[in-house]
Amino acid sequence: MKQNLIERHGYSERIERMFGKGMVVALTGQRRVGKSCVMKRIYEKYSQDSSDLLTLT
């Protein structure tokens, strides 16, 4: 069963602006609010565009 996910463009854009500045990005918040989904979407976007990408674990 696939769920419809809500795009969090505002959060993604704010996180992406920090890339390349030598900053550590940590997402915090309550359980089950979509922190992992936001990071997975960003990872998918950059993995298609760049071969120089850190592995997210």
Side-chain angles (χ1 to χ4, degrees):
M1 176 196 242
K2 190 170 184 174
Q3 297 177 346
N4 294 330
L5 300 176
I6 299 171
E7 287 288 333
R8 307 285 187 192
H9 297 290
Y11 293 123
S12 299
E13 291 170 4
R14 291 170 80 185
I15 294 166
E16 289 175 25
R17 280 188 255 145
M18 295 180 202
F19 288 176
K21 295 184 178 181
M23 299 177 72
V24 174
V25 177
L27 296 181
T28 62
Q30 294 179 335
R31 294 175 60 189
R32 303 183 56 105
V33 295
K35 300 178 296 287
S36 297
C37 290
V38 168
M39 287 306 296
K40 285 178 187 174
R41 299 248 179 185
I42 292 171
Y43 177 81
E44 289 170 359
K45 177 180 176 181
Y46 281 93
S47 66
Q48 294 172 358
D49 296 341
S50 174
S51 61
D52 184 29
L53 187 69
L54 295 175
T55 303
L56 298 176
T57 57

